[in-house]
Amino acid sequence: MTTDVQAFAAKIAMLAEIFKPAAPTDDQRLFRGRRDQLARLLTVAGAPGQHAIIFGERGVGKTSVSYMLRDTYLTMAPDTTVCIRLACTAEDDFVSLWRKLPGRLTREIGLAANPHLSELLTTEVIDRVEDAFLDEPTPDAVAQVLGMLADKARLMIIIDELDRMDVLAAGAKLADLVKQISDDIVPCTLILVGVADNVSDLIAGHASVDRCLMPVSMPRMTHAELTEVVEEGFAAYSERSGVPITITENSAASIATLSEGFPYYTHLLASAVGRTAIADSRESIEFTDVFDALMVAKDEAEPSIREAYYNATIAARSDATFEETLIACAVAESDRMGFFTASDVCDPLAFILGIPRKNSDFNAHLKRFSTNTPIVLLAKTSTKTPRYRFVNPLMRPYAMMCGLSSGILKRDFLAEIR
Ligand SMILES: Nc1ncnc2c1ncn2[C@@H]1O[C@H](COP(=O)(O)OP(=O)(O)O)[C@@H](O)[C@H]1O
Ligand SMILES: [Mg+2]
């Protein structure tokens, strides 16, 4: 007999399988949008000498799209395809990155439900890879190894979190590698993935790869797509658990609004609101439940964001209004690139504080946010009027969530934005 606690734990676990802010999704059903990106990536995967770079903001869904690509690519020829994912860390350089390859190959073959793969990539083949990398792997040596592997299997290598590496040093070597395997038409597809405003940040100044490296930009997701992520997620939960949870249209829409295009926040908020519903044995989620979930969700946001917010807003004096100013920045109108000026902050700050505000009343706050580490706002002071932008775009929705949960922002504010 299952106890109440076990039944509760089972439901929470089921929800955690659906809404998982910390993990990329590889669930075909819950994956929304991104058709253009997948089409481009699949075109690249089928074209000899072509490779791709997926780039966009953190939390926008880059790793997830690379998982979808991998799954689709594998399904086309499961018996002969090897798809390896190498994730970079801050300690990695070109050499240490490629030295991960033999281990990954071994794991991939061990994992494969498919015995054909281990016939293609035998332990001798993997030993040869390891031997080839005993000396520091150069772009040349890596190209040869990839050529050798690609003779045996359809090969795709996904290099994720590229921005964590020292891009200046590793970027040039990666560019050399891309160029080389492209010129030699080695039948291996390289997919690079990283955070960057534009591709040039990642493979800076390597014009020679322009033609063989297709840029695939990942914009933020639309409000409609994020609303569907919430609705479809709860529909999947209801089916899998046999216990229905419905979410009202405006609750799903308000989660999408608060997410500002980042599926990361959609998963974080939907997970929080869902857990509360399960804990209270409720079968429906209403608009007000979203606000109650904000408190939970903001405490579970990425630690780096929480710490940066805390450090920016902590004050020795109780009459300091750093938090109000930061929240006003988060809701201030910004241009297409996310920049705003002090004048853009005046109205929302006056609204929040209920008193008129001039730039001079809070310029010192903007200075603090843009100079004290960890820096929250990037200041562009080259023009007469300084412009500001959140260093981490995930901070904007986070500050808004903090504002709504603490009451600094009134609840009806959510209905007014967008
Ligand atoms: N297309 C999508 N549909 C639904 N959820 C998504 C989609 N893309 C990403 N997610 C979710 O958003 C969160 C962040 O995705 P992730 O791929 O890790 O982003 P990134 O690699 O850009 O930081 C994860 O919870 C993931 O499940
Ligand atoms: Mg990622």
Side-chain angles (χ1 to χ4, degrees):
M1 203 184 82
T2 37
T3 62
D4 277 359
V5 175
Q6 280 170 326
F8 172 72
K11 286 182 199 162
I12 295 287
M14 214 167 277
L15 189 78
E17 275 297 300
I18 294 171
F19 295 121
K20 35 184 183 183
T25 185
D26 56 359
D27 188 329
Q28 307 265 355
R29 174 171 175 186
L30 302 175
F31 183 82
R32 309 318 282 178
R34 305 310 194 192
R35 295 294 176 262
D36 287 356
Q37 285 80 3
L38 276 173
R40 293 188 113 197
L41 289 164
L42 286 165
T43 311
V44 166
Q50 285 289 304
H51 308 276
I53 180 158
I54 305 174
F55 65 101
E57 294 164 302
R58 198 175 299 287
V60 90
K62 299 178 299 300
T63 303
S64 298
V65 95
S66 76
Y67 276 30
M68 283 297 147
L69 168 69
R70 179 197 63 186
D71 289 354
T72 319
Y73 188 69
L74 280 171
T75 327
M76 286 188 228
D79 288 357
T80 51
T81 306
V82 176
C83 189
I84 301 287
R85 182 171 173 275
L86 300 174
C88 308
T89 66
E91 287 76 44
D92 273 329
D93 54 16
F94 186 85
V95 170
S96 62
L97 175 71
W98 286 103
R99 282 199 173 137
K100 293 179 191 176
L101 183 63
R104 288 278 151 189
L105 286 167
T106 312
R107 209 181 76 167
E108 196 61 24
I109 289 155
L111 283 180
N114 190 331
H116 298 286
L117 221 48
S118 49
E119 284 166 24
L120 295 172
L121 291 185
T122 55
T123 30
E124 288 91 88
V125 172
I126 299 178
D127 286 347
R128 273 171 62 193
V129 177
E130 208 150 19
D131 290 347
F133 290 169
L134 282 178
D135 291 332
E136 291 211 339
T138 55
D140 214 29
V142 177
Q144 278 186 22
V145 161
L146 294 182
M148 189 262 290
L149 291 171
D151 273 348
K152 312 209 176 286
R154 264 171 102 224
L155 189 61
M156 174 180 282
I157 311 249
I158 298 172
I159 305 182
D160 201 353
E161 320 261 4
L162 204 61
D163 49 285
R164 291 195 180 199
M165 282 205 292
D166 176 355
V167 179
L168 269 185
K173 287 189 177 167
L174 271 173
D176 282 350
L177 173 65
V178 172
K179 175 93 171 54
Q180 186 142 353
I181 61 173
S182 185
D183 286 351
D184 299 349
I185 321 192
V186 174
C188 158
T189 308
L190 274 189
I191 306 288
L192 310 180
V193 187
V195 175
D197 275 350
N198 54 51
V199 193
S200 59
D201 280 358
L202 281 179
I203 305 278
H206 305 286
S208 58
V209 293
D210 273 3
R211 257 173 301 133
C212 44
L213 196 63
M214 159 103 70
V216 178
S217 125
M218 295 283 294
R220 295 190 190 178
M221 288 175 71
T222 64
H223 190 273
E225 285 166 350
L226 295 179
T227 310
E228 269 180 44
V229 170
V230 181
E231 290 172 343
E232 197 57 40
F234 281 109
Y237 172 83
S238 304
E239 273 170 35
R240 292 176 195 175
S241 68
V243 187
I245 292 190
T246 55
I247 178 155
T248 59
E249 220 178 292
N250 63 348
S251 313
S254 61
I255 291 181
T257 303
L258 282 167
S259 305
E260 292 220 307
F262 292 105
Y264 166 73
Y265 279 120
T266 311
H267 281 246
L268 192 72
L269 285 164
S271 158
V273 86
R275 272 174 290 155
T276 322
I278 293 171
D280 299 347
S281 307
R282 273 188 289 109
E283 292 193 352
S284 92
I285 294 169
E286 312 285 334
F287 189 53
T288 51
D289 298 326
V290 176
F291 292 96
D292 297 336
L294 284 174
M295 192 71 84
V296 179
K298 81 177 182 45
D299 287 344
E300 292 174 353
E302 263 182 38
S304 61
I305 296 182
R306 284 190 280 127
E307 274 159 36
Y309 184 89
Y310 175 79
N311 286 322
T313 55
I314 187 169
R317 284 176 41 185
S318 60
D319 60 346
T321 54
F322 298 125
E323 187 165 14
E324 285 79 356
T325 308
L326 193 62
I327 292 167
C329 292
V331 299
E333 279 210 27
S334 57
D335 67 12
R336 213 170 46 82
M337 302 299 288
F339 281 104
F340 57 87
T341 63
S343 303
D344 295 323
V345 181
C346 275
D347 280 354
L349 186 59
F351 180 78
I352 286 170
L353 294 172
I355 44 170
R357 289 282 90 177
K358 309 186 292 298
N359 296 8
S360 55
D361 295 327
F362 60 89
N363 265 335
H365 295 190
L366 298 180
K367 179 127 198 250
R368 167 184 165 122
F369 300 152
S370 55
T371 49
N372 283 16
T373 49
I375 291 171
V376 178
L377 293 182
L378 175 82
K380 280 245 160 122
T381 47
S382 49
T383 48
K384 213 173 97 206
T385 316
R387 294 183 307 144
Y388 303 89
R389 176 166 91 167
F390 281 96
V391 172
N392 182 347
L394 289 173
M395 180 61 89
R396 260 177 61 105
Y398 179 76
M400 222 183 278
M401 283 166 54
C402 289
L404 284 165
S405 78
S406 64
I408 289 178
L409 279 178
K410 300 285 168 295
R411 290 188 173 197
D412 48 10
F413 180 81
L414 191 54
E416 283 171 31
I417 46 171
R418 237 146 278 155

